Amino acid sequence: SLEETLRIGKQVSDGLAKIKGVATYEQQVGRAERGEDPFGPEKSEFHVELEPHLTGKQQAGIEVQIRDLLDSIPGIQNEVLTFLGDRIHETVSGGDKLPVVVNIFGSDLDALDKYADDVKSVLTDLKADDVNANPTAGTPRIGVHLRSDRLTELGFRPVEVLEAVQTAYEGETVAQVFRDNQTTDVAVILDAASRRNPEEVGGLLLTSATGVRVPLREIADVYLGSGRATIAHEGAQRLKKVSCSPPIGQDVQTFVAAMREALDKKIKLPAGMHFEFTGTAQADAAASHELWLHAGVAAVGILMLLSVVLGHWRNVLLVVINLPLALAGGVLAVFIAKLLGGGDLSMGVRVGFVTLFGITTRNAIMMISHYEHLVTEEGRPWNLETSIHGASERLIPIMMTALVTALGLLPLALGSGEAGREIEGPMAQVILGGLITSTVLNLLVLPTLALRWAKWRVPDVATIAKAD
């Protein structure tokens, strides 16, 4: 009820006032006539504003305190989200606000409720946060069960009775009134006082085609009961949703893998029921698959172009060898960030690796193409002296490229723990780590490997003479 929601809201407000770092808070109960959040009085939202200039670790600590506060209040379901996270999850998860969602499909509503409770128990054992299931609380309702024997005896048709009940309590448009250029519908419905008392439903007078007038209770069983407020469907199947957030400090993909394994071991669904995993974890996996697919297609095209430009597969391989050198630095950067409590294989990290491979490949092409120019255009012999000379001439361009990129990304990398840098921060860390290793090894390892394996076109005599 509204009173209960306000009472709990007062308790939550008192707790929020004691949390250091919370600047303001307000409770939203109910909804406006055209509000964007269509929920009833049983649900409310708290809009909490934190103090400015808090680090990412401080904000995470405040989030933990808010979760503990909500968990200490019995009889409520809760979830803690940022405003941006709320909107993103609603977009990518079909309205689900939490990153991990388990859909249970089946036809038996009671069985769905049972297995949803089992899933909640498994998620709780995994220390998941904000474990929720879409509510199945009973909604009071009045049931009308027609009695076929009395209908036949008194000359009523079932459809006529149901239409009369619908018209009485839901209303029906029966005519239109035209006034100037305005059209107004005329509806028929019982007066508000008659519709307010549930006990009077059985006294609704009905008239048969033969003129017999009897109250509804004479031809139907009218009773008070409860029913489900909503029955969720997807793909013409009934479903029950259980959602949660991974424990703080654990990435979504790792948690989803552990959750799948635990559900397979502990819950055996009967025939006709099955699980489906959605949420931002699935959206992240789909985006990752699409990213690597497109990157792979681009890589194939780049290799084909390089094979044409560089002229020999050995030279192409020398360019490709530079990628593991960059990968080592990127992986090391992710590992260090993980040790400091903020690293995981997020989408920003993956985008960072793709960007890093592009920068590294460009530097390697600059080195190999300059070696080819020295040998084929200037006619230099391919030996240690030429290898060192070419590396020294490409030292400044490669270092300038790396420094400009590093200086531009350094602020993002240092502030990766701050709010709003969840994607750019990890991406910058990966690129910086990869640039350090790839630049150093590009100037040391690549010339050495090129001296041993590079294959150049035989220079034309006329070209050499022209160069001289």
Side-chain angles (χ1 to χ4, degrees):
S1 64
L2 179 60
E3 292 77 10
E4 182 70 9
T5 302
L6 293 174
R7 183 189 67 80
I8 296 176
K10 178 65 167 58
Q11 187 176 352
V12 174
S13 298
D14 293 340
L16 290 174
K18 300 176 182 178
I19 298 178
K20 185 178 180 180
V22 173
T24 63
Y25 52 87
E26 59 184 15
Q27 183 183 16
Q28 175 186 340
V29 184
R31 63 183 180 192
E33 182 178 355
R34 296 183 180 180
E36 61 181 15
D37 295 318
F39 50 77
E42 78 286 350
K43 180 179 178 181
S44 68
E45 289 185 350
F46 271 87
H47 305 281
V48 181
E49 181 180 355
L50 303 183
E51 294 178 354
H53 311 302
L54 293 176
T55 65
K57 184 173 293 187
Q58 290 173 325
Q59 293 181 33
I62 295 175
E63 182 179 340
V64 171
Q65 297 181 60
I66 295 176
R67 291 181 188 275
D68 293 340
L69 168 64
L70 296 176
D71 291 339
S72 67
I73 302 176
I76 66 171
Q77 291 185 340
N78 61 83
E79 54 193 36
V80 181
L81 294 168
T82 63
F83 176 80
L84 180 60
D86 185 9
R87 292 297 178 257
I88 292 176
H89 295 151
E90 287 180 346
T91 302
V92 303
S93 308
D96 300 305
K97 298 182 178 182
L98 296 180
V100 181
V101 181
V102 181
N103 291 337
I104 312 171
F105 289 90
S107 57
D108 189 337
L109 293 175
D110 294 332
L112 289 175
D113 292 341
K114 172 186 177 301
Y115 286 107
D117 291 337
D118 294 342
V119 172
K120 288 177 62 177
S121 177
V122 172
L123 296 179
T124 302
D125 293 340
L126 294 175
K127 309 301 183 183
D129 294 323
D130 303 330
V131 181
N132 288 314
N134 54 326
T136 56
T139 300
R141 69 176 183 179
I142 299 176
V144 178
H145 185 267
L146 300 180
R147 296 159 55 188
S148 57
D149 55 337
R150 293 293 291 168
L151 291 174
T152 303
E153 180 182 346
L154 297 175
F156 283 89
R157 295 173 56 198
V159 65
E160 294 175 345
V161 176
L162 296 178
E163 288 178 351
V165 174
Q166 181 179 4
T167 300
Y169 290 96
E170 290 189 5
E172 182 178 355
T173 301
V174 296
Q176 289 181 325
V177 175
F178 298 92
R179 179 177 299 172
D180 297 332
N181 61 342
Q182 295 182 345
T183 302
T184 305
D185 292 333
V186 178
V188 176
I189 194 173
L190 280 179
D191 62 280
S194 300
R195 288 183 283 117
R196 189 173 296 117
N197 188 356
E199 301 296 335
E200 295 183 2
V201 175
L204 179 66
L205 288 177
L206 302 174
T207 305
S208 69
T210 60
V212 178
R213 293 174 59 84
V214 295
L216 179 61
R217 66 172 63 93
E218 290 294 329
I219 57 176
D221 296 323
V222 183
Y223 55 90
L224 293 174
S226 63
R228 298 172 182 266
T230 58
I231 300 177
H233 290 80
E234 185 174 307
Q237 288 182 296
R238 292 174 174 176
L239 82 151
K240 181 84 172 183
K241 295 187 177 207
V242 182
S243 55
C244 69
S245 299
I248 294 178
Q250 185 175 9
D251 64 278
V252 177
Q253 296 297 338
T254 302
F255 175 77
V256 170
M259 178 190 69
R260 286 175 179 266
E261 182 180 357
L263 291 178
D264 290 339
K265 288 182 178 180
K266 298 180 179 181
I267 300 179
K268 303 298 182 183
L269 294 179
M273 299 183 66
H274 67 277
F275 288 128
E276 184 178 289
F277 302 94
T278 60
T280 55
Q282 295 301 110
D284 182 74
S288 177
H289 178 268
E290 185 175 356
L291 173 66
W292 294 122
L293 177 62
H294 292 173
V297 172
V300 172
I302 292 172
L303 290 176
M304 294 175 63
L305 293 175
L306 287 177
S307 64
V308 174
V309 174
L310 299 179
H312 199 279
W313 64 268
R314 288 189 179 183
N315 300 343
V316 176
L317 187 59
L318 288 172
V319 173
V320 174
I321 285 176
N322 211 42
L323 298 183
L325 307 181
L327 180 65
V331 172
L332 181 61
V334 174
F335 178 72
I336 294 175
K338 186 69 174 179
L339 292 180
L340 297 177
D344 55 51
L345 196 59
S346 63
M347 181 55 65
V349 171
R350 297 168 196 145
V351 173
F353 276 116
V354 174
T355 306
L356 175 62
F357 290 161
I359 298 173
T360 303
T361 302
R362 179 184 60 185
N363 291 341
I365 293 173
M366 289 173 58
M367 182 72 74
I368 298 299
S369 62
H370 187 59
Y371 282 151
E372 183 179 17
H373 174 79
L374 293 176
V375 175
T376 61
E377 299 295 332
E378 297 185 11
R380 289 176 176 267
W382 182 235
N383 51 28
L384 179 60
E385 182 183 353
T386 303
S387 175
I388 296 175
H389 178 75
S392 63
E393 288 188 338
R394 279 293 172 260
L395 173 63
I396 293 179
I398 291 177
M399 289 297 297
M400 289 300 297
T401 301
L403 283 175
V404 169
T405 305
L407 292 176
L409 294 175
L410 187 60
L412 288 176
L414 295 178
S416 61
E418 299 179 6
R421 296 185 178 179
E422 292 83 357
I423 296 179
E424 293 90 345
M427 178 186 69
Q429 290 175 346
V430 169
I431 296 176
L432 281 178
L435 277 178
I436 294 174
T437 57
S438 66
T439 301
V440 173
L441 297 177
N442 186 277
L443 295 171
L444 298 177
V445 176
L446 186 58
T448 304
L449 295 176
L451 182 62
R452 175 65 179 83
W453 297 103
K455 186 74 173 180
W456 312 118
R457 298 184 181 94
V458 178
D460 183 59
V461 177
T463 303
I464 295 176
K466 182 178 179 181
D468 292 339

